[in-house]
Amino acid sequence: MNERLYKTQHGVIFDDVFSTFSTLPQQYVTNNHAASMMTAEGLVMQHHATQDVRVLRDIPATMGAAEVTLSYAPTRDGDKAGFMLFDNSANTAQLLEYADDTFTDLTSIKVRKQGEVFDFFMKHDAFLHIDSVQFPFTKMGFVTKVGQL
């Protein structure tokens, strides 16, 4: 999965282009360095047999929206990966791509934040509002779910 995260703050866009880094940018942390690595193409995350793999960063206090451009095409039944809001292991919201012949591959995710309300949008052919969730999440980032290697 290759990702790119855009953050807008007071009209200014901050662009985390993972392909410009040789190591994970310092604002990001991962729970599994072996399954999340930097390559010339950007951040590559692999499935792990026994745990979800997460790469997270703090949600900026002034964030109004984030857009994620990614390249993920599930190759096996049961493979899932995508964007995640995180507070702790018991409190997450995840927008996941999985093998489904009725949709084109997921290419972009938008998250809009108003206070503690997060609205999720996914783009296959066009952006669609998927869901809203209210919780004081503290981190956002990417996840690959437990899966086959």
Side-chain angles (χ1 to χ4, degrees):
M1 180 165 70
N2 295 321
E3 298 84 5
R4 184 175 188 165
L5 179 63
Y6 296 95
K7 301 168 294 301
T8 303
Q9 181 177 10
H10 300 291
V12 178
I13 296 175
F14 298 90
D15 187 359
D16 289 346
V17 181
F18 288 100
S19 61
T20 63
F21 298 97
S22 59
T23 61
L24 196 62
Q26 77 179 65
Q27 67 266 32
Y28 288 86
V29 296
T30 182
N31 65 325
N32 188 321
H33 288 279
S36 53
M37 60 205 97
M38 299 302 297
T39 70
E41 290 78 36
L43 173 64
V44 175
M45 297 174 63
Q46 299 175 339
H47 293 278
H48 190 275
T50 61
Q51 71 178 140
D52 293 349
V53 177
R54 298 184 301 262
V55 175
L56 302 171
R57 66 161 293 138
D58 290 338
I59 296 174
T62 58
M63 183 187 100
E67 182 173 344
V68 178
T69 303
L70 53 91
S71 172
Y72 175 72
T75 57
R76 296 186 175 111
D77 285 341
D79 281 357
K80 296 177 187 173
F83 184 79
M84 138 183 269
L85 297 172
F86 183 89
D87 185 56
N88 58 49
S89 294
N91 295 307
T92 69
Q94 301 173 22
L95 194 55
L96 303 174
E97 173 79 344
Y98 57 92
D100 185 342
D101 293 336
T102 62
F103 287 106
T104 59
D105 289 342
L106 178 65
T107 59
S108 190
I109 295 170
K110 286 185 182 181
V111 178
R112 184 177 60 205
K113 179 181 181 277
Q114 295 177 328
E116 293 181 353
V117 177
F118 294 84
D119 293 306
F120 288 102
F121 301 84
M122 291 177 83
K123 183 177 183 181
H124 286 279
D125 295 320
F127 275 104
L128 298 171
H129 181 262
I130 302 301
D131 202 0
S132 296
V133 62
Q134 183 172 356
F135 192 83
F137 293 106
T138 58
K139 298 190 181 304
M140 64 181 179
F142 312 104
V143 62
T144 55
K145 304 299 285 180
V146 171
Q148 299 177 25
L149 300 176

